[in-house]
Amino acid sequence: MPLKIAFSRPYILNLVTTFLSQACSAGLIILLIPVLNERFSIEEFSNYGVLLNIVLFTSAFDLGLNLGLMRRLIQEPLRASVLISSSFFFYLLLFLIAFPVFLWLYHSQLLANGDHFFSYALLTSLLVLQTVVAAMFDVILQSANKIFIGKLIRIGKTIIEFGVLYYCSQEGSAVLLLTASSVVNFLFICTLFFFSKKETSYHLSIAKFSWLVLSDHIRYSFWYFLNSIGVVFVFNSQIILLNHVTTKAEVASYIMVSRFLDVVRMGATNFTVILFPTLAQKEVMGEWQQLRITYFKVLRSVFLLCILMLCFLLTIGKFIFEYWSGLSGESIEQLYTLFCVFTILIVLDNVSSVFLHALRLNKMQTIISIGQGILALVLGYFLLQSMGIIGFIIGSLIALLLTNFIYNPYYLITQFRRKIG
């Protein structure tokens, strides 16, 4: 029955540990960002925020192999070794390509600012590699429906990282913080690798690498890759662009608001995101009627959650943000309010998006996502000229409402009708 999908013991365990993991991540952001804002110069704080967004943006260029890997490990478990090895060594190759590219971008001042272009290039490339490799080992655990193991490991990693970054922040150096993060990430990856080997039978070896398998896996994962590009356009590209067209103070303010509400967005989307492996399994078994019932059940629940969240964010949440960030004023209040609305709409849209991806019905949705991201950037850039920094978030809101917010549920419901008959 559909209830087993939404409220089974594994789901509850995965959900609870996911929320605990997000709570730790939120704690890191909430406690650390004000410290950095105080200890760093405005320029160094802005550079650090931009560099983190560059890492997240570039991590999308894993060609979608990790999301594709999750589905394939569920459907083709006997090919685990060759799929995982081919992906892993391909990521190492991407690191060798990324470093000289970043070196040129930073040296030419096309990205970020400052004199540490060599360190920025090396650390950005390394953190991108670590991000995609950690995601790969986490995906292996998710494919075995052991999401909770990965989340518990991430909780430990976050706690350690907070202590290390808090201590290192005394130096007021973005380079030092990125270096510290890379050391913690290395330990994190080793731990994920160890536990993924216990849950899934595979061998990681250069001998298992295959260009033919890699090529096939890239084709299989192509639409996941394009969707990742759309996602980073929506969530990460604005800060990179703002870094070139506005002041450091405005960039810093935008980072504070977006980081605060990222905590809400990531936490609220957990309800649906952790269903991905189960939904993929149900699709393989052709249980479309159960999937349809579950979709509407989850959508109703998330809709009610969104109403409560928006009420909280626009009342008590606003005072919490002002106390936390130390920012106030009419422009900041407008930016915060619009960001709250945008965040809530994203959470609601995420339900349909996760179902489309898990059921591999995401081709057109992916194209529209990229269009949404580009439209948001274009609108944001032009609205910035007349409305200031709030023009950027207004552009994102308009782009979302004109694209995926309408298309995703419409197309998914249409596909349910066609599959069920």
Side-chain angles (χ1 to χ4, degrees):
M1 294 296 294
L3 288 176
K4 291 183 179 179
I5 297 178
F7 300 110
S8 64
R9 185 175 179 276
Y11 175 84
I12 297 298
L13 182 59
N14 289 335
L15 182 63
V16 169
T17 51
T18 298
F19 270 113
L20 288 174
S21 174
Q22 293 291 355
C24 285
S25 297
L28 186 148
I29 293 172
I30 291 171
L31 296 175
L32 190 63
I33 292 297
V35 173
L36 300 184
N37 196 29
E38 178 184 343
R39 294 180 175 179
F40 281 35
S41 65
I42 291 179
E43 181 176 355
E44 195 73 359
F45 178 79
S46 176
N47 283 344
Y48 181 66
V50 171
L51 288 165
L52 289 182
N53 272 276
I54 290 172
V55 170
L56 293 173
F57 185 91
T58 313
S59 297
F61 289 86
D62 67 344
L63 303 186
L65 300 187
N66 285 333
L67 270 177
L69 182 64
M70 185 191 301
R71 277 186 60 94
R72 298 194 78 172
L73 290 177
I74 293 171
Q75 297 175 336
E76 309 169 55
L78 297 179
R79 303 187 68 199
S81 294
V82 67
L83 286 167
I84 293 169
S85 295
S86 297
S87 299
F88 177 79
F89 289 103
F90 176 68
Y91 292 150
L92 295 184
L93 177 63
L94 286 184
F95 168 75
L96 297 178
I97 297 172
F99 174 64
V101 172
F102 277 123
L103 191 61
W104 173 72
L105 290 172
Y106 290 138
H107 185 263
S108 61
Q109 294 293 304
L110 291 176
L111 287 179
N113 288 303
D115 301 323
H116 306 293
F117 59 86
F118 184 87
S119 299
Y120 284 166
L122 179 61
L123 288 168
T124 303
S125 304
L126 180 59
L127 287 169
V128 169
L129 172 65
Q130 291 177 328
T131 300
V132 296
V133 170
M136 185 189 76
F137 291 128
D138 194 30
V139 155
I140 297 170
L141 289 168
Q142 291 182 45
S143 68
N145 209 18
K146 297 297 179 66
I147 297 173
F148 69 94
I149 295 178
K151 297 305 178 184
L152 290 173
I153 296 171
R154 186 173 291 276
I155 289 171
K157 177 252 188 184
T158 303
I159 293 172
I160 294 171
E161 187 172 28
F162 171 76
V164 171
L165 294 184
Y166 183 86
Y167 177 79
C168 293
S169 66
Q170 299 176 79
E171 301 297 323
S173 168
V175 170
L176 180 60
L177 254 63
L178 294 174
T179 302
S181 290
S182 67
V183 174
V184 175
N185 283 344
F186 176 76
L187 299 175
F188 175 53
I189 290 170
C190 290
T191 307
L192 283 173
F193 172 67
F194 173 78
F195 281 94
S196 71
K197 289 277 291 179
K198 294 183 66 175
E199 299 299 330
T200 300
S201 178
Y202 73 93
H203 298 286
L204 183 62
S205 168
I206 187 66
K208 297 285 184 179
F209 177 86
S210 167
W211 285 107
L212 186 62
V213 170
L214 177 63
S215 176
D216 173 67
H217 190 45
I218 289 174
R219 288 195 300 271
Y220 181 91
S221 306
F222 178 72
W223 292 103
Y224 291 122
F225 164 59
L226 289 185
N227 182 75
S228 298
I229 299 300
V231 169
V232 295
F233 267 125
V234 172
F235 293 113
N236 304 111
S237 57
Q238 286 97 335
I239 290 176
I240 297 173
L241 180 58
L242 278 173
N243 189 51
H244 288 279
V245 297
T246 61
T247 66
K248 291 292 185 183
E250 287 180 312
V251 174
S253 297
Y254 197 91
I255 289 173
M256 294 290 281
V257 176
S258 64
R259 285 288 177 269
F260 182 82
L261 291 171
D262 274 350
V263 173
V264 177
R265 175 177 60 84
M266 290 186 296
T269 54
N270 287 335
F271 290 102
T272 313
V273 170
I274 64 172
L275 284 173
F276 190 107
T278 303
L279 296 176
Q281 291 171 346
K282 294 294 181 183
E283 184 267 335
V284 171
M285 294 184 288
E287 298 179 8
W288 289 97
Q289 180 63 27
Q290 292 189 12
L291 287 167
R292 179 182 178 276
I293 296 172
T294 301
Y295 168 69
F296 284 109
K297 183 179 182 65
V298 174
L299 187 62
R300 285 194 300 269
S301 299
V302 172
F303 178 75
L304 293 175
L305 175 66
C306 285
I307 293 175
L308 295 174
M309 285 171 50
L310 186 59
C311 292
F312 175 82
L313 288 172
L314 295 180
T315 54
I316 299 173
K318 181 174 68 173
F319 294 107
I320 294 174
F321 170 74
E322 290 178 353
Y323 176 80
W324 171 76
S325 66
L327 301 175
S328 59
E330 185 179 353
S331 61
I332 290 295
E333 186 173 334
Q334 290 177 338
L335 179 64
Y336 173 82
T337 300
L338 290 168
F339 233 118
C340 285
V341 175
F342 177 67
T343 300
I344 293 303
L345 293 179
I346 285 290
V347 171
L348 190 58
D349 174 65
N350 181 256
V351 176
S352 303
S353 180
V354 169
F355 271 77
L356 287 171
H357 281 79
L359 306 179
R360 214 153 185 262
L361 299 172
N362 60 326
K363 290 186 178 181
M364 184 55 67
Q365 185 262 349
T366 295
I367 295 172
I368 294 174
S369 290
I370 295 175
Q372 176 193 337
I374 295 173
L375 180 61
L377 282 178
V378 173
L379 289 175
Y381 178 79
F382 285 106
L383 290 175
L384 179 70
Q385 315 304 317
S386 58
M387 304 179 69
I389 196 170
I390 66 169
F392 247 76
I393 192 61
I394 291 176
S396 296
L397 266 169
I398 295 173
L400 173 62
L401 292 173
L402 291 178
T403 55
N404 277 324
F405 193 77
I406 297 173
Y407 173 81
N408 287 351
Y410 170 78
Y411 180 68
L412 182 59
I413 292 169
T414 301
Q415 290 301 304
F416 283 142
R417 288 173 181 168
R418 190 168 72 85
K419 297 288 186 180
I420 296 170

